[in-house]
Amino acid sequence: MSELPFAATTPVSVSRVGLKARDAENLAAYYRAVVGLQELSRADGAITLGAANRPLLVLEQDASAKPDDPRSAGLFHTAFLLPSRADLGRWINHAAANRIGIEGASDHLVSEALYLTDPEGNGIEIYADRRPQDWKWNGDKIAMSTERLNLPAVVASVPAGDAGWQGAPENTIVGHVHLRVGRPEEAEAWWHDEFGFDTVAKYGGQAVFLSSGHYHHHIGANAWRSAGAGRRDPARSGLAWVEMRSDNVAAETTREDPWGTVIRTVPGKA
């Protein structure tokens, strides 16, 4: 059995993501077929999906919601972290066999990732981390880049005779969430003040990456298309909330970032 990824073992980590869905049934079918999540429960119009018995994604039905606006504050992508490189190779084979549309494939030095978009415009990253001991740090900043992913090398990590992709494996987690914001420096200050996150990388004034416990990033925040955006319109589909797990709290809390994005915190170990 695989180990729980390092991203989940830090003092604070991402637990779940909630999406407001115009058609929750259709989205649930997509995340089952494409990402390999399992349906875990249904309650009050919401469908909870996850890997093994770990809930990762909650789809909240709202047929009257307006479509998400990619120029507004909200979700850039939910990043599903697979436990191993071989798992990522299995998923690549699954995507190829089922002609799943991939919009990007990148080597970020710390991780290897593929990108796609769900039917309602929500971004998705499927990735596997390189070993933390192989990440390169310059003081308190980490070396990350966007280079071409060596797809054949990732696929070659799948053992010969392997059973192939069987859905998201046990210990799949939401490794990080990347947000669209109006001002990355304001997001940086908020996550520093509210969660004690460290800034581990910046891309000029357009994007910032923050983490707990020396991970490469639990939260990304960019203004690539959303520069100057104000508070998010709650009548739109897309990101409903992000839930963080923390060693440092004794009770559940809810707060909003400067753009009205709901950030929940729940106590407990991973």
Side-chain angles (χ1 to χ4, degrees):
M1 187 180 72
S2 63
E3 295 182 357
L4 194 62
F6 172 65
T9 67
T10 53
V12 183
S13 63
V14 183
S15 175
R16 300 184 299 166
V17 171
L19 299 179
K20 181 184 290 188
R22 303 176 78 204
D23 186 342
E25 290 290 351
N26 184 52
L27 271 194
Y30 177 89
Y31 280 93
R32 288 195 303 264
V34 173
V35 183
L37 301 183
Q38 303 165 340
E39 183 174 318
L40 301 181
S41 64
R42 293 181 178 228
D44 303 322
I47 304 171
T48 298
L49 304 166
N53 291 313
R54 182 185 299 274
L56 301 176
L57 185 69
V58 180
L59 305 175
E60 301 177 348
Q61 173 70 24
D62 185 351
S64 65
K66 297 181 291 185
D68 191 22
D69 178 1
R71 296 165 300 179
S72 69
L75 180 69
F76 190 67
H77 61 238
T78 303
F80 296 96
L81 174 57
L82 302 177
S84 74
R85 193 185 200 207
D87 290 318
L88 187 62
R90 294 180 184 102
W91 186 84
I92 292 168
N93 287 334
H94 159 71
N98 291 279
R99 299 186 177 181
I100 293 167
I102 303 300
E103 296 169 2
S106 298
D107 183 335
H108 295 302
L109 306 184
V110 294
S111 63
E112 296 171 298
L114 295 101
Y115 297 90
L116 52 162
T117 302
D118 78 17
E120 296 195 7
N122 301 295
I124 298 169
E125 177 179 340
I126 309 288
Y127 77 114
D129 278 334
R130 288 198 165 91
R131 301 186 309 164
Q133 56 266 44
D134 293 332
W135 301 346
K136 301 294 190 291
W137 291 86
N138 180 15
D140 60 356
K141 300 298 186 286
I142 195 162
M144 291 195 295
S145 183
T146 299
E147 302 177 0
R148 183 185 296 272
L149 181 62
N150 187 339
L151 287 164
V154 179
V155 169
S157 68
V158 180
D162 187 80
W165 181 252
Q166 303 293 314
E170 184 177 9
N171 290 330
T172 297
I173 63 169
V174 178
H176 67 268
V177 175
H178 198 145
L179 302 171
R180 306 186 310 247
V181 300
R183 296 177 66 244
E185 62 270 28
E186 195 172 351
E188 178 184 18
W190 191 85
W191 285 94
H192 176 80
D193 293 344
E194 297 291 335
F195 284 89
F197 274 16
D198 300 313
T199 301
V200 293
K202 288 186 179 183
Y203 290 177
Q206 292 297 302
V208 63
F209 299 88
L210 306 118
S211 77
S212 168
H214 230 51
Y215 187 52
H216 60 69
H217 70 292
H218 290 102
I219 294 292
N222 79 68
W224 291 323
R225 296 185 65 186
S226 56
R231 287 181 68 83
R232 180 171 172 76
D233 181 356
R236 290 194 181 274
S237 64
L239 185 61
W241 44 266
V242 176
E243 183 180 270
M244 310 297 293
R245 177 211 56 81
S246 175
D247 294 346
N248 307 320
V249 299
E252 294 187 16
T253 60
T254 299
R255 67 199 94 178
E256 292 185 356
D257 77 3
W259 298 274
T261 298
V262 174
I263 310 294
R264 301 176 178 173
T265 309
V266 297
K269 301 290 184 181

